[in-house]
Amino acid sequence: MLILTKTAGVFFKPSKRKVYEFLRSFNFHPGTLFLHKIVLGIETSCDDTAAAVVDETGNVLGEAIHSQTEVHLRTGGIVPPAAQQLHRENIQRIVQEALSASRISPSDLSAIATTIKPGLALSLGVGLSFSLQLVGQLKKPFIPIHHMEAHALTIRLTNKVEFPFLVLLISGGHCLLALVQGVSDFLLLGKSLDIAPGDMLDKVARRLSLIKHPECSTMSGGKAIEHLAKQGNRFHFDIKPPLHHAKNCDFSFTGLQHVTDKIIMKKEKEEGIEKGQILSSAADIAATVQHTMACHLVKRTHRAILFCKQRDLLPQNNAVLVASGGVASNFYIRRALEILTNATQCTLLCPPPRLCTDNGIMIAWNGIERLRAGLGILHDIEGIRYEPKCPLGVDISKEVGEASIKVPQLKMEI
């Protein structure tokens, strides 16, 4: 049995026979000449099992994904052992579907890229173990991928974006601002001091029991909040954005969650309903929370833009801000960021929503980027480990705070 970290517990390892039979299932002729580099990307960092085949021109040759959202909605959140089991049950099928759709023989792959950090330990372990077996059978290079680096670089698949650019990564597990100077060259300007924005939205949605709302019963927490907020009044409740007086680029969402919980408790008493029933003011609460979060994200990002321009880390005109990660698919937050980029003479770019959430395409593309740059391409896979927690780049957030940049007020007319 393969144990890759002390936290891994029982580690999934597909048998060599199964992997061999998996490879034999492909009837393509080996040895076909391909002019482009082609990478298989595998993603299992959290609750989606995903794979894709991408070439160096950015063509997505094949992809497949198995979402666990429906299962975790029923359990009220992601249960790591359950996520692990679902990855085990689906990874071979998903990789096979992606390869079959691509019409590429596994022997014609240039490399296999897989998320190994950060993420849920049990989930990361399934993807890494399967990939190492595949790499061993095919004798292909292995490219370990940092999940947040992949999110940051996805925009270069869909748009012609040169380095440097600023990236705001917002998801269910992460929140950070970083200057992207190269494929693996990041300066971390700020990060969440507690929970991630997507996690907070999920918690608020659960507290509001939105899974019982007829319009939101099949939606993730973040999607349910966004949907319901369209019907609400964002000014019905007065909530101040977190870290209002802190002149840095860090984020905080726990306080916003706690304030919202208090509002919900108060409204339940006023309306005479028990916890678990739908409040008549649920849409107003959703709208207020979404707007407050958007203002918080905008203010910290505004300071990051000003800091980077003061230090000549970004061009004075036409600098690019990229918003990526699952929460970046929220169109209200995108519109708020557009107000910011219009005011600062920047350009906002976001991957399409399907590439904001976790997917195999971004992992394969990160593999292509690293192949081109000649970075992190491993021919010896001995001792490869996954890392549930892992920083991104060089942390200069203290320097950002010491600059103490005052951010001018923006009119958030969304």
Side-chain angles (χ1 to χ4, degrees), residues 200-215:
M200 191 217 66
L201 290 175
D202 286 343
K203 284 180 165 67
V204 171
R206 283 199 295 274
R207 185 62 185 83
L208 286 169
S209 301
L210 295 190
I211 195 170
K212 296 179 182 178
H213 196 289
E215 296 176 21

Side-chain angles (χ1 to χ4, degrees), residues 298 334-344 410-414:
V298 164
R334 287 194 185 197
R335 288 197 296 273
L337 291 170
E338 281 175 2
I339 291 171
L340 168 61
T341 51
N342 288 339
T344 53
L410 291 179
K411 287 186 178 181
M412 302 302 292
E413 297 176 353
I414 306 172

Side-chain angles (χ1 to χ4, degrees), residues 166-168 175-179 187-190 249 251 300-301 304:
L166 184 66
V167 66
L168 171 66
C175 182
L176 60 86
L177 274 163
L179 182 73
L187 295 179
L188 183 66
L189 306 173
C249 289
F251 303 87
R300 319 316 278 182
T301 306

Side-chain angles (χ1 to χ4, degrees), residues 210-242:
L210 295 190
I211 195 170
K212 296 179 182 178
H213 196 289
E215 296 176 21
C216 307
S217 60
T218 60
M219 297 178 181
S220 66
K223 287 293 181 187
I225 293 289
E226 182 179 8
H227 175 78
L228 209 57
K230 294 173 185 175
Q231 306 165 26
N233 176 6
R234 70 190 189 195
F235 300 117
H236 188 84
F237 300 98
D238 183 24
I239 303 178
K240 290 182 180 179

Side-chain angles (χ1 to χ4, degrees), residues 48 73 108 115 134 140 157 164 232 251 280 283 304 346 359 368 386 408:
D48 287 331
L73 274 175
D108 290 318
T115 306
L134 207 53
K140 296 292 181 181
L157 169 69
F251 303 87
S280 64
C346 295
N359 61 87
I368 290 290
Y386 61 78

Side-chain angles (χ1 to χ4, degrees), residues 241 244 295 298-299 302 306 339 343 406-412:
H244 190 63
C295 290
V298 164
K299 187 170 184 179
H302 195 170
L306 296 176
I339 291 171
K406 187 175 181 180
V407 175
Q409 192 76 27
L410 291 179
K411 287 186 178 181
M412 302 302 292

Side-chain angles (χ1 to χ4, degrees), residues 191-371:
K191 62 184 184 298
S192 177
L193 302 176
D194 36 62
I195 63 174
D199 187 21
M200 191 217 66
L201 290 175
D202 286 343
K203 284 180 165 67
V204 171
R206 283 199 295 274
R207 185 62 185 83
L208 286 169
S209 301
L210 295 190
I211 195 170
K212 296 179 182 178
H213 196 289
E215 296 176 21
C216 307
S217 60
T218 60
M219 297 178 181
S220 66
K223 287 293 181 187
I225 293 289
E226 182 179 8
H227 175 78
L228 209 57
K230 294 173 185 175
Q231 306 165 26
N233 176 6
R234 70 190 189 195
F235 300 117
H236 188 84
F237 300 98
D238 183 24
I239 303 178
K240 290 182 180 179
L243 301 178
H244 190 63
H245 298 294
K247 294 181 181 178
N248 55 37
C249 289
D250 289 328
F251 303 87
S252 175
F253 299 97
T254 297
L256 178 54
Q257 181 203 332
H258 289 162
V259 169
T260 306
D261 284 347
K262 289 179 180 178
I263 289 172
I264 294 170
M265 287 177 65
K266 183 181 177 183
K267 295 305 291 183
E268 284 172 342
K269 287 181 180 178
E270 287 178 6
E271 295 184 19
I273 66 172
E274 294 181 359
K275 182 178 179 179
Q277 294 180 283
I278 304 295
L279 285 167
S280 64
S281 55
D284 292 334
I285 293 171
T288 304
V289 168
Q290 180 177 253
H291 181 71
T292 306
M293 172 182 282
C295 290
H296 182 46
L297 292 170
V298 164
K299 187 170 184 179
R300 319 316 278 182
T301 306
H302 195 170
R303 182 173 285 112
I305 291 171
L306 296 176
F307 175 84
C308 288
K309 287 189 175 184
Q310 282 184 12
R311 302 298 171 94
D312 290 324
L313 296 171
L314 282 174
Q316 296 301 314
N317 297 307
N318 300 318
V320 172
L321 168 66
V322 172
S324 191
V327 178
S329 62
N330 180 301
F331 285 101
Y332 188 91
I333 289 172
R334 287 194 185 197
R335 288 197 296 273
L337 291 170
E338 281 175 2
I339 291 171
L340 168 61
T341 51
N342 288 339
T344 53
Q345 291 78 53
C346 295
T347 300
L348 175 67
L349 294 176
C350 305
R354 74 184 189 93
L355 294 183
C356 283
T357 51
D358 295 348
N359 61 87
I361 294 172
M362 71 180 194
I363 306 304
W365 177 250
N366 198 167
I368 290 290
E369 291 266 29
R370 283 185 163 266
L371 271 181

